[in-house]
């Protein structure tokens, strides 16, 4: 058996491998590209490609693929063999620098949000040397960015890399003013991933799970999560076996899976790797989601990544733990130990407060999807209102800086500071708030609105660019300042006062918060169609253009793709519901009524005149229910025809306001019928079977 040290990253074309397989000068040049984001030298590509191929072939690979992240939110790959003919006609394994650097897949079947009609169908994939290539199965995977013929990005990686670049550039400007030497600043991200595991045989019996990844019907189970007996509970042997294989598969690919535990809902679990730079964390999270499903399948399980697989029990989210670190390993969000470090800490903190307040709409958009709409705001996940939790202590310190006053006597005991110096903040690990969408947790921020199936790229694109844009404005001031320290104080004071409204340390699940947030002028955007139009607001377009993270065409394309994704997923769910109601539920209800009617008849025949009250009552209740189901089916069918004439935003809004409530009602009636029918008369496995299938 391999030791952890030998196993970790064994299938990755890592720096360690590169060092042994590349000549020293080539390795050095590639390392500069990886570490410092320097442009890749075309000349070195051939040697890198050849080394990569030799290494991959030694691991059994026969093919390579440019692996990319189109706007579908999942990854895409097209495999090409290394196979080629030599001049003498012999079969050889070949892979050139050109093939490594650039691929040309047909882009016409990926969502492009209108970019396709204006440009050619052809797309390019371009090697991203900052994320390591790896071997999976018999294929060498090369992480790539994906763009249209015109150069417009039609993926999630390109803008993420751009946002990282601009963030680094602006953060370095600020740091330089503060006397910190560094050559790159990187957003570091650790992703906590929640998921459900259910038995494959049970899964196969539910059309809604197969088609939509979540149940569209289902009466509550008598027991679900009331007893809180699943959270951190003992991990069952079958799940343990799954986790072990999952960990090993992830470690082989260099994914540092670390923490695993049972979550709140029955059958729900969580996995968290050690944090990495944002781009790599994004690639690794995509791989993790894919591998979770593959390993589950091998164990006779199905991994559900939908945000709300079951009504009435907790849904699944994904926490994006985010901090900023220099290439020298200095975490800019760690409270400082001296005056200079404190200045840096509070200045970056202020930048984030300002960015989150000004671009709260973009953060909301970054997690918007039809499935996450079912989870957010349900007292199990953060509300849809974006706010920040800093904890009382940190808020008190910022308040006192803003008002030029010293801290209260109580606080004074803990920390001394003069009016013009910045106090030390001691990390208080007990200070936790689980209801906040964006919480400071000691030396990082945890953004908790992401849904379990979301790509983390969108959130980090928004966060990185908004913070970069803010830091740019700070750097402009600092570079002109005669007294840098005084300038930092002034910025903190002014900006904190302006953006303090975004800070909320109370209960984010409470009704009072909705009222209070409205008073503060914070956005409350319950559904995806409510929030998406903010994407094309002037201030947001300006920010994206000035940071060069997205062009105007790319912004429009993304807006259209998200609208389209919402409408399509909702309509698939509506059609699946109709199909199930007509083909499974209504026939089952009628059949069960017949069973009951037969019983009445038999009882009558044997002279039990009063012994069939129960049967009659259920028959008539089911009659009323099936009548309602039938009416709703007809209504929903009519609406699905009407909605075809609508487009874009109007379509999504119509689906949200008119079609979704009908779906909700339809479910309610079917679930009422389920409760009245015998278990063996019901055509689909119940919630108790689904949730306790393992
Ligand atoms: P929890 O919130 O459940 O207590 P942890 O404290 O274990 O979780 O951290 C969750 C995630 O945050 C992990 O992926 C961890 O690696 C990551 N993390 C820890 N420190 C940082 C940091 N400085 N920057 C970004 N992510 C971090
Ligand atoms: Mg956490």
């Amino acid at each position: 058996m391999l030791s952890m040290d030998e196993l970790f990253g064994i299938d990755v074309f890592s720096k360690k491998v590169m060092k042994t397989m590349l000549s020293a000068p080539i390795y050095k040049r590639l390392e500069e590209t990886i570490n410092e984001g320097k442009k890749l030298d075309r000349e070195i590509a051939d040697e890198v490609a050849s080394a990569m191929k030799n290494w991959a072939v030694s691991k059994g690979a026969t093919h390579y693929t440019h692996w990319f992240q189109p706007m579908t939110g999942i990854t895409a790959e097209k495999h090409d063999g290394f196979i080629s003919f030599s001049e003498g006609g012999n079969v050889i394994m070949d892979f050139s620098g050109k093939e490594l650097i650039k691929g040309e897949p047909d882009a016409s079947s990926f969502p492009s949000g209108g970019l396709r009609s204006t440009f050619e169908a052809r797309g390019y994939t371009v090697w991203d040397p900052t994320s390591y290539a790896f071997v999976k199965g018999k294929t060498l995977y090369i992480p790539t960015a994906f763009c249209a013929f015109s150069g417009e990005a039609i993926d999630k990686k390109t803008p993420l890399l751009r946002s990282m670049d601009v963030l680094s550039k602006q953060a370095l400007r600020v740091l330089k003013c503060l006397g910190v030497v560094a050559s790159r600043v990187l957003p570091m991200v650790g992703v906590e991933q929640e998921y459900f595991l259910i038995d494959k045989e049970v899964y196969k019996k539910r059309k809604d799970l197969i088609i939509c990844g979540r149940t569209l019907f289902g009466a509550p189970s008598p027991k679900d999560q009331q007893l809180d007996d699943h959270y951190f509970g003992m991990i069952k042997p079958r799940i343990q076996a799954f986790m072990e294989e999952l960990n090993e598969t992830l470690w082989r690919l260099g994914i540092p899976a670390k923490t695993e535990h049972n979550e709140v809902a029955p059958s729900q679990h969580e996995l968290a790797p050690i944090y990495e730079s944002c781009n790599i964390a994004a690639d690794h999270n995509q791989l993790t989601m894919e591998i979770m499903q593959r390993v589950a399948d091998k164990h006779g399980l199905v991994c559900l990544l939908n945000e709300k697989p079951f009504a009435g029990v907790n849904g699944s989210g994904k926490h994006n733990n985010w901090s900023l670190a220099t290439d020298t390993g200095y975490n800019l969000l760690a409270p400082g130990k001296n005056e200079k470090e404190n200045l840096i800490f509070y200045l970056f903190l202020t930048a984030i407060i300002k960015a989150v307040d000004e671009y709260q709409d973009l953060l909301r958009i970054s997690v918007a999807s039809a499935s996450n709409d079912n989870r957010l705001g349900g007292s199990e996940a953060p509300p849809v209102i974006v706010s920040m939790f800093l904890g009382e202590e940190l808020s008190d310190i910022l308040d006192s800086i803003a008002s030029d006053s010293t801290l209260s006597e109580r606080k004074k005991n803990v920390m001394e500071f003069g009016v013009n110096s910045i106090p030390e903040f001691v990390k208080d690990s007990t200070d936790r708030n689980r209801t906040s969408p964006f919480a400071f947790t000691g030396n990082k921020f945890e953004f908790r609105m992401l849904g379990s199936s979301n790509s983390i790229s969108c959130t980090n694109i928004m966060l990185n660019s908004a913070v970069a844009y803010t830091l740019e404005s700070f750097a402009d001031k600092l570079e002109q300042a005669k007294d840098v320290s005084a300038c930092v104080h002034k910025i903190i004071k002014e900006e904190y006062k302006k953006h303090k409204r975004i800070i909320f340390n109370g209960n984010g699940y409470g009704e009072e918060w909705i009222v209070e947030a409205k008073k503060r002028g914070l956005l409350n955007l319950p559904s995806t169609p409510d929030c998406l139009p903010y994407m094309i607001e002037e201030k947001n377009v300006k920010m994206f253009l000035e940071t060069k993270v997205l062009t105007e065409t790319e912004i429009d394309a993304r807006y259209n793709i998200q609208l389209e994704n919402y409408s399509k997923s909702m309509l698939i769910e509506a059609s699946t519901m109709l199909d199930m109601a007509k083909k499974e539920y209504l026939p089952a209800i009628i059949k069960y009524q017949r069973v009951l009617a037969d019983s009445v008849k038999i009882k009558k025949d044997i002279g039990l005149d009063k012994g069939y009250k129960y049967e009659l009552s259920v028959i008539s209740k089911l009659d009323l229910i099936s009548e309602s189901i039938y009416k709703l089916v007809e209504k929903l069918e009519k609406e699905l025809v009407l909605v075809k004439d609508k487009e874009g935003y109007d379509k999504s809004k119509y689906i949200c306001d008119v079609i979704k409530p009908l779906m909700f009602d339809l479910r309610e009636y079917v679930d009422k019928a389920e409760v009245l029918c015998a278990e063996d008369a019901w055509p689909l496995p119940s919630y108790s079977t689904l949730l306790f299938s393992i």
Side-chain angles (χ1 to χ4, degrees):
M1 214 173 100
L2 295 176
S3 69
M4 181 62 142
D5 189 35
E6 291 164 323
L7 187 74
F8 190 78
I10 196 170
D11 294 332
V12 181
F13 193 66
S14 61
K15 277 191 189 164
K16 207 164 96 188
V17 180
M18 289 178 209
K19 218 170 184 167
T20 60
M21 301 201 64
L22 295 169
S23 63
I26 300 277
Y27 174 75
K28 191 167 171 279
R29 277 156 77 182
L30 185 57
E31 200 186 24
E32 279 169 4
T33 304
I34 297 171
N35 290 353
E36 293 156 38
K38 280 194 184 164
K39 219 172 164 52
L40 185 88
D41 210 327
R42 176 69 182 78
E43 287 157 37
I44 69 167
D46 274 330
E47 186 177 328
V48 178
S50 165
M52 225 186 235
K53 180 211 63 188
N54 290 342
W55 169 80
V57 169
S58 78
K59 303 203 78 56
T62 54
H63 286 67
Y64 71 92
T65 181
H66 275 201
W67 183 63
F68 56 103
Q69 298 168 22
M71 296 300 293
T72 51
I74 54 173
T75 56
E77 51 195 74
K78 175 185 137 220
H79 299 204
D80 274 303
F82 290 125
I83 190 166
S84 175
F85 284 118
S86 71
E87 276 177 24
N90 294 328
V91 168
I92 52 164
M93 299 290 252
D94 194 31
F95 184 49
S96 67
K98 197 170 146 251
E99 286 168 311
L100 166 65
I101 289 188
K102 195 166 162 189
E104 295 188 10
D106 185 346
S108 59
S109 294
F110 292 108
S112 73
L115 281 175
R116 220 166 42 225
S117 52
T118 7
F119 303 99
E120 275 196 54
R122 190 176 289 283
Y124 289 126
T125 49
V126 185
W127 179 34
D128 164 22
T130 61
S131 182
Y132 300 133
F134 54 91
V135 168
K136 188 159 67 78
K138 287 186 174 296
T139 303
L140 168 68
Y141 282 74
I142 301 157
T144 57
F146 180 46
C147 53
F149 185 71
S150 56
E152 309 273 2
I154 42 177
D155 71 343
K156 304 207 174 197
K157 187 189 267 271
T158 311
L160 182 65
L161 291 173
R162 291 179 190 153
S163 75
M164 288 170 73
D165 273 348
V166 65
L167 178 55
S168 178
K169 184 175 154 198
Q170 301 305 340
L172 285 176
R173 280 180 66 202
V174 169
L175 287 179
K176 194 171 170 201
C177 297
L178 296 163
V180 177
V181 183
S183 49
R184 195 159 168 84
V185 172
L186 280 170
M188 304 304 291
V189 172
V191 188
E192 296 162 72
Q193 173 76 49
E194 291 180 337
Y195 60 98
F196 278 85
L197 285 176
I198 59 167
D199 187 87
K200 204 199 297 186
E201 292 311 310
V202 181
Y203 166 89
K204 277 192 203 153
K205 294 183 184 143
R206 296 215 42 143
K207 207 178 264 177
D208 45 5
L209 282 176
I210 294 171
I211 297 178
C212 308
R214 73 184 196 99
T215 57
L216 301 171
F217 299 97
S221 159
K223 174 182 185 250
D224 44 57
Q225 62 190 46
Q226 307 93 324
L227 299 177
D228 292 325
D229 52 354
H230 194 255
Y231 190 56
F232 284 11
M234 196 261 300
I235 299 173
K236 292 181 181 151
R238 200 166 155 206
I239 304 297
Q240 188 66 49
F242 158 85
M243 287 179 173
E244 278 165 20
E245 186 171 343
L246 174 64
N247 285 336
E248 193 178 315
T249 316
L250 296 176
W251 290 334
R252 290 185 73 97
L253 291 167
I255 302 172
K258 185 173 167 70
T259 311
E260 61 199 17
H261 59 80
N262 287 350
E263 260 300 330
V264 173
S267 293
Q268 194 186 26
H269 314 277
E270 180 182 301
L271 172 90
I274 298 172
Y275 64 98
E276 303 173 281
S277 91
C278 178
N279 174 36
I280 296 179
D283 282 0
H284 281 174
N285 183 250
Q286 291 292 344
L287 267 176
T288 302
M289 290 195 284
E290 181 202 316
I291 291 167
M292 276 176 164
Q293 306 194 48
R294 211 151 38 83
V295 174
D297 187 60
K298 278 172 78 179
H299 288 254
L301 301 165
V302 175
C303 172
L304 301 175
L305 289 170
N306 188 288
E307 281 73 9
K308 195 76 184 174
F310 308 102
V313 299
N314 273 19
S316 299
K318 174 143 54 191
H319 294 173
N320 190 81
N321 292 273
W322 183 94
S323 66
L324 283 176
T326 66
D327 55 331
T328 54
Y330 173 15
N331 179 359
L332 303 172
L333 298 190
K337 284 180 236 56
N338 54 46
E339 179 74 23
K340 182 175 154 187
E341 286 175 6
N342 267 322
L343 273 184
I344 295 169
F345 169 66
Y346 284 103
L347 187 62
F348 278 87
L349 189 67
T350 306
I352 297 166
I353 293 171
K354 178 174 160 75
V356 173
D357 185 30
E358 284 180 347
Y359 300 98
Q360 47 182 287
D361 44 3
L362 291 181
L363 287 173
R364 170 68 185 93
I365 289 169
S366 79
V367 300
S369 70
S371 46
N372 209 17
D373 279 2
N374 298 322
R375 167 185 164 265
L376 290 174
S379 286
E380 50 163 306
V384 287
I385 305 162
V386 175
S387 69
M388 288 172 95
F389 168 84
L390 292 183
E392 298 240 325
E393 195 175 316
L394 203 49
S395 306
D396 280 354
I397 294 174
L398 283 167
D399 277 336
S400 62
I401 296 173
S403 58
D404 271 342
S405 63
T406 49
L407 286 172
S408 67
E409 285 306 311
R410 182 173 63 87
K411 300 285 171 189
K412 246 187 184 169
N413 296 335
V414 191
M415 57 201 94
E416 270 310 326
F417 76 107
V419 171
N420 229 3
S421 77
I422 301 228
E424 194 171 313
F425 165 69
V426 187
K427 177 182 165 186
D428 178 6
S429 55
T430 58
D431 202 358
R432 291 203 146 221
N433 180 324
R434 287 272 160 209
T435 66
S436 174
F438 203 101
F440 183 70
T441 47
N443 61 359
K444 60 181 161 74
F445 274 100
E446 188 173 333
F447 184 45
R448 303 184 176 126
M449 284 172 84
L450 286 88
S452 46
S453 70
N454 279 148
S455 147
I456 66 159
S457 298
C458 295
T459 280
N460 289 294
I461 292 168
M462 306 300 192
L463 195 51
N464 294 345
S465 23
V467 173
Y469 195 51
T470 308
L471 288 173
E472 183 181 2
S473 68
F474 289 7
D476 289 345
K477 287 182 186 149
L478 290 168
E479 282 168 359
Q480 303 301 320
K482 287 197 186 75
D483 180 344
V484 171
S485 172
C487 181
V488 170
H489 273 88
K490 191 161 175 274
I491 292 175
I492 297 175
K493 244 170 87 170
E494 284 175 6
E495 299 297 350
Y496 178 71
K497 272 192 207 159
K498 253 193 252 166
H499 300 290
K500 197 183 155 188
R501 63 169 187 168
I502 197 78
I503 293 161
F504 176 61
N505 293 324
N507 175 17
Y509 294 172
E511 286 294 316
E512 318 81 64
W513 171 229
I514 298 177
V515 181
E516 166 69 18
K518 192 169 177 193
K519 265 195 226 149
R520 295 189 188 188
L522 299 178
L523 292 171
N524 182 354
L525 307 166
S527 76
T528 297
D530 289 331
C531 70
L532 289 184
Y534 285 86
M535 182 77 183
I536 47 175
E537 284 250 309
E538 203 181 322
K539 73 165 174 76
N540 294 334
V541 173
K542 184 166 179 278
M543 187 277 281
F544 284 130
L545 294 184
E546 286 184 16
T547 51
K548 297 197 170 57
V549 169
L550 291 172
T551 66
E552 212 150 356
T553 333
E554 287 168 349
I555 297 168
D556 277 342
R558 262 147 233 269
Y559 169 56
N560 289 325
I561 290 170
Q562 262 192 292
L563 276 177
E564 216 175 285
N565 280 348
Y566 175 83
S567 298
K568 280 184 185 162
S569 352
M570 287 299 297
L571 292 180
I572 291 171
E573 287 196 352
S575 306
T576 309
M577 287 184 91
L578 276 180
D579 185 274
M580 290 170 76
K582 286 195 296 188
K583 294 197 180 133
E584 298 187 293
Y585 294 124
L586 282 173
I589 294 170
I590 293 165
K591 208 165 149 190
Y592 188 56
Q593 279 180 308
R594 205 187 162 119
V595 170
L596 295 170
D598 280 348
S599 165
V600 173
K601 195 160 171 286
I602 292 165
K603 283 184 179 175
K604 265 189 184 167
D605 285 351
I606 59 171
L608 280 175
D609 277 351
K610 292 198 174 73
Y612 41 79
K613 261 199 193 138
Y614 173 70
E615 285 92 329
L616 286 182
S617 139
V618 175
I619 291 175
S620 60
K621 277 183 194 160
L622 285 176
D623 219 39
L624 289 174
I625 293 173
S626 54
E627 178 72 19
S628 303
I629 294 177
Y630 171 63
K631 275 190 189 146
L632 282 162
V633 163
E634 288 217 306
K635 254 194 206 163
L636 198 50
E637 275 177 337
K638 221 166 85 195
E639 292 301 346
L640 289 190
V641 174
L642 287 177
V643 80
K644 279 193 184 139
D645 294 335
K646 304 191 182 300
E647 272 181 53
Y649 171 76
D650 293 343
K651 185 171 187 165
S652 71
K653 192 75 183 138
Y654 192 80
I655 292 171
C656 185
D657 295 345
V658 178
I659 295 185
K660 203 174 171 182
L662 290 176
M663 291 161 68
F664 186 84
D665 290 348
L666 178 57
R667 177 188 181 134
E668 199 169 276
Y669 281 107
V670 171
D671 291 357
K672 273 187 192 161
E674 180 181 349
V675 178
L676 290 169
C677 289
E679 178 109 22
D680 63 0
W682 205 240
L684 278 84
S686 67
Y687 262 32
S688 344
T689 311
L690 286 166
L691 289 168
F692 298 97
S693 64
I694 300 160

